[in-house]
Amino acid sequence: MAQENDIIGDRYRIITQIGLGGMSTVYLALDKTLNKQWAIKEIKNIDDPRKREVIVRSLVEEANLIKDFDHPAIPRIVDLIDDQNKLYVIMDYIEGETLTNRFRRQGPCSQKDVVDWGIQLCSVLDYLHRRNPPIVFADMKPSNVMVKPDGTVMLIDFGIAHRMGEDLGHLSYGTHGVFNLGTPGYGAPEQFAINKKLDTRSDVYSLGMTLHFLLTGSDPRQEVQPIRQYRPELSEGLEKVIDKAIEKDPDKRFQSCAEFAYALRHYQEEDRAHHRVLLLKWRSFLSAVIAALVCLVLGGGALIAENVTRNNSFDYWMSLAEHELDDEQAEAYYLRASNLQPDSIKPYEGLLNRYRNDGKFTHQEATQFLESIQDHEISLKSRQIQWAQLSYDTGLMYWFYYQGPQSSSASSDSSSLQYERIRYAGQWMQDAAAVKNFSRQPQARVYADIASFNSKVVPQIVQGTDKGQFKIYFGKIQGLIDIASESRNEVMRFNVAQFVESVLSTYPRKFRADGISQQDMLNLVDHSVALARNTASTSTSGDEIKQNILRQENDAKQSIINGFIDSRKVGN
């Protein structure tokens, strides 16, 4: 086993052990080159040459499969090291615990948490399924899901993930050297058939069984019962949703994870209690209609018509939302308006403005916002320019305002949080940049390209395929400075100045290798500092960020100068 302060691959210094399994040990390590933390999985000695060859090939194929993914819930594998008969896998470090460990620690999970995790996992699986060709994850289970302190989940271990329709012969052995194409109990029945024919609905089954276990703790290898047989207090509607997901016949399951997610968001509508409430409302409605008819006969028809028109008026609910002081009530009004005009972005822009008011876009707000959009996503996307505008504004929201519970203020913003923000924003900016007639398309392209670069740069550096990429990146961050200079938004201006200063401090040698001159880099530092200096702060946290940017000017410039000093041997 590796020890504290051991150096792996002449680059990664072991900090501490963070996990231990039957075939591997996981460490937290520091990248001496990039000054960044990674997780390192050490695969224990494998004496069988055939198994070792299969495992190495599996790891390489896993890394190649996910290298082009750009989703915040999918961690990256950035390096593979074969050293003294041991294998080391270098990957993104995720703070948190697996859902298996969460269950062991606290037992059956709350209905609210499980539904939230399920919706998030539907999102990442749907991302995989929409690839061309679709990717089947094939091993959804609690131990392959990490939950972070802010409640977001990450999907880990793509060891048997594969492109739908490809030959599965190379998947005979998983990374543990065991013949499998899934985990018994969690894997769909068709995964263990003689003629394995998997499609994306296999992942629907596995996710359904994962949620079933988290709610009940029942062994999925045995014949499971509906969830309310174990916990009667659970929702009848949720029981129906999970029962459908774990149908043995793929044709009877949800046919996509998007459909599964929709059902999870609306499970309460299937509850008997909910039906009783609707019945009472229906009876009240009938009473109102009868009274209305009487009033109409008596000459009150004009007033009734006004009330009916008002309740079905998009503008009415938008006006209520815009003037409402209570954020929760305003959100309800915006959602009412969105149901009346499903293809309008106005309610969602209103929600973004609400979230922006306090300078923070929390995980809870982000989850609520995404759920509200997903209900009308098809209608919204039918109007390309409007969808591009909403995508652009949502991307900006993530890029500059997203904060998990670990960040108490803008001044505590760390580089890890910044890169997390960029990853979340990236797909939104890609959607905006894809619409050529969108007025902000050039700006969206700058954001999208920066996000894409940041998600791929470390693996490229490790693999030695980054040549020429930093020259392009330098042009993009110059463009980012130009975009921020045109804005009066102090959060955007400070954030961009701080980000550019950090990038120039981190990669001066990479920029140099791609032909960027020292003077060009120093000039860009000057531009970023000028951007901050010429921005009027309206808050204490803004003052702190501004002063920090100004203080870091000399350090950034010194890093650039050092990047042009070549080391020389002394005495020769």
Side-chain angles (χ1 to χ4, degrees), residues 371-395:
E371 289 179 3
S372 66
I373 282 183
Q374 287 167 349
D375 284 344
H376 302 302
E377 187 173 355
I378 294 176
S379 296
L380 289 166
K381 287 184 174 180
S382 68
R383 303 177 68 176
Q384 281 195 332
I385 300 298
Q386 280 201 98
W387 175 251
Q389 184 65 61
L390 180 60
S391 297
Y392 184 74
D393 292 338
T394 304

Side-chain angles (χ1 to χ4, degrees), residues 81-311:
I81 297 173
D82 191 344
D83 184 15
Q84 297 180 353
N85 205 35
K86 291 182 181 178
L87 297 174
Y88 298 94
V89 184
I90 318 300
M91 63 189 77
D92 280 324
Y93 168 61
I94 307 167
E95 183 182 4
E97 61 182 339
T98 66
L99 288 181
T100 296
N101 289 339
R102 171 68 68 91
F103 185 89
R104 288 172 180 164
R105 184 167 56 81
Q106 68 177 35
C109 304
S110 73
Q111 183 170 279
K112 180 179 181 297
D113 283 343
V114 171
V115 170
D116 180 39
W117 297 332
I119 292 171
Q120 291 186 62
L121 290 168
C122 279
S123 174
V124 64
L125 288 173
D126 187 59
Y127 170 83
L128 295 174
H129 297 167
R130 290 176 183 269
R131 306 288 292 181
N132 187 19
I135 303 296
V136 180
F137 183 66
D139 204 17
M140 171 61 67
K141 56 185 177 181
S143 61
N144 280 346
V145 180
M146 293 282 292
V147 58
K148 298 164 66 176
D150 65 357
T152 56
V153 297
M154 302 282 284
L155 194 57
I156 61 175
D157 197 345
F158 281 68
I160 60 173
H162 60 278
R163 297 173 181 85
M164 198 169 80
E166 75 174 331
D167 179 18
L168 303 181
H170 68 288
L171 295 175
S172 296
Y173 287 88
T175 55
H176 292 170
V178 180
F179 184 85
N180 70 75
L181 194 59
T183 300
Y186 293 106
E190 62 268 20
Q191 292 183 234
F192 304 98
I194 295 176
N195 297 316
K196 299 179 177 69
K197 293 183 179 180
L198 278 66
D199 61 29
T200 56
R201 295 172 299 177
S202 303
D203 286 339
V204 169
Y205 180 95
S206 298
L207 177 55
M209 197 58 77
T210 295
L211 302 186
H212 188 288
F213 172 79
L214 293 171
L215 287 166
T216 68
S218 60
D219 186 346
R221 294 169 296 180
Q222 308 299 323
E223 190 70 24
V224 299
Q225 303 300 317
I227 59 174
R228 296 175 75 247
Q229 297 293 316
Y230 307 90
R231 294 177 62 188
E233 76 276 10
L234 293 175
S235 159
E236 183 180 359
L238 183 57
E239 181 177 79
K240 291 179 181 178
V241 172
I242 291 180
D243 283 349
K244 182 172 182 178
I246 61 175
E247 284 279 2
K248 295 186 184 300
D249 183 350
D251 291 335
K252 293 181 179 180
R253 298 174 201 153
F254 297 108
Q255 297 302 290
S256 70
C257 280
E259 185 181 339
F260 192 1
Y262 182 88
L264 286 171
R265 289 196 298 273
H266 296 275
Y267 73 90
Q268 291 175 321
E269 296 173 10
E270 295 295 324
D271 287 341
R272 288 180 181 176
H274 183 74
H275 287 166
R276 285 196 295 269
V277 171
L278 289 181
L279 182 59
L280 289 173
K281 288 184 177 180
W282 174 248
R283 289 172 177 169
S284 298
F285 173 74
L286 287 179
S287 298
V289 168
I290 293 171
L293 290 173
V294 173
C295 292
L296 184 61
V297 172
L298 296 176
L303 180 59
I304 297 167
E306 179 184 349
N307 286 335
V308 171
T309 302
R310 177 181 297 169
N311 285 331

Side-chain angles (χ1 to χ4, degrees), residues 466-515:
D466 58 306
K467 182 176 176 59
Q469 297 302 309
F470 280 87
K471 183 174 184 178
I472 298 171
Y473 188 49
F474 190 80
K476 296 298 179 181
I477 61 175
Q478 283 179 314
L480 189 62
I481 287 284
D482 293 339
I483 292 171
S485 298
E486 296 173 358
S487 172
R488 295 182 180 180
N489 184 315
E490 68 172 279
V491 174
M492 176 187 290
R493 291 169 68 93
F494 285 144
N495 180 286
V496 168
Q498 193 171 45
F499 173 71
V500 171
E501 200 174 58
S502 173
V503 167
L504 291 169
S505 298
T506 304
Y507 296 119
R509 292 186 182 275
K510 290 294 182 181
F511 287 125
R512 174 193 175 185
D514 275 1

Side-chain angles (χ1 to χ4, degrees), residues 8 15 26 159 167 184 226 270 332 350 514 539:
I8 306 299
I15 298 175
V26 182
D167 179 18
E270 295 295 324
D514 275 1
S539 66

Side-chain angles (χ1 to χ4, degrees), residues 16-35:
T16 186
Q17 178 182 312
I18 56 176
L20 180 64
M23 287 295 295
S24 64
T25 305
V26 182
Y27 305 94
L28 177 64
L30 180 68
D31 185 334
K32 298 192 300 177
T33 301
L34 300 178
N35 194 34

